[in-house]
Amino acid sequence: MSASPTLLYARLKAPPKMISGYSSVCLDLRGLNCPLPVLRTRKMLARLASGDRLIVECTDPLAVVDIPHLLQETGDTLERQEAMNGLFIFHIKRGKG
């Protein structure tokens, strides 16, 4: 018996063209520097359905400014933001896009 997938964990050089069947995607952007984390986040958000959630993990300190600013532009929601030991985690809910 197979359960429906609810989380996709991705360490991607380039986001896939389409993601379906998932309600949450975790995007591992550790080690990437500005502007790559915000650009990859934008690309991944464009591929998600309204209401899906994206969890972005990165180590770039500028992402603390860039990602919330991106979400203001796109209309997506920053549900939670965490920082620990140089790792920044953003929990994003996809808007109507």
Side-chain angles (χ1 to χ4, degrees), residues 52-65:
D52 282 353
R53 286 177 166 73
L54 176 62
I55 301 166
V56 177
E57 298 178 349
C58 62
T59 52
D60 179 16
L62 292 177
V64 174
V65 174

Side-chain angles (χ1 to χ4, degrees), residues 71-84:
L71 300 179
Q72 286 179 347
E73 291 177 6
T74 62
D76 300 308
T77 303
L78 180 59
E79 293 185 322
R80 191 169 76 220
Q81 179 176 336
E82 304 170 56
M84 60 182 131

Side-chain angles (χ1 to χ4, degrees), residues 24-68:
S24 295
V25 175
C26 186
L27 189 59
D28 182 354
L29 301 176
R30 294 177 222 192
L32 298 180
N33 293 320
C34 185
L36 291 177
V38 75
L39 293 175
R40 300 248 174 112
T41 299
R42 179 187 299 270
K43 286 181 182 180
M44 184 61 79
L45 283 168
R47 288 156 175 81
L48 296 178
S50 177
D52 282 353
R53 286 177 166 73
L54 176 62
I55 301 166
V56 177
E57 298 178 349
C58 62
T59 52
D60 179 16
L62 292 177
V64 174
V65 174
D66 292 341
I67 290 179

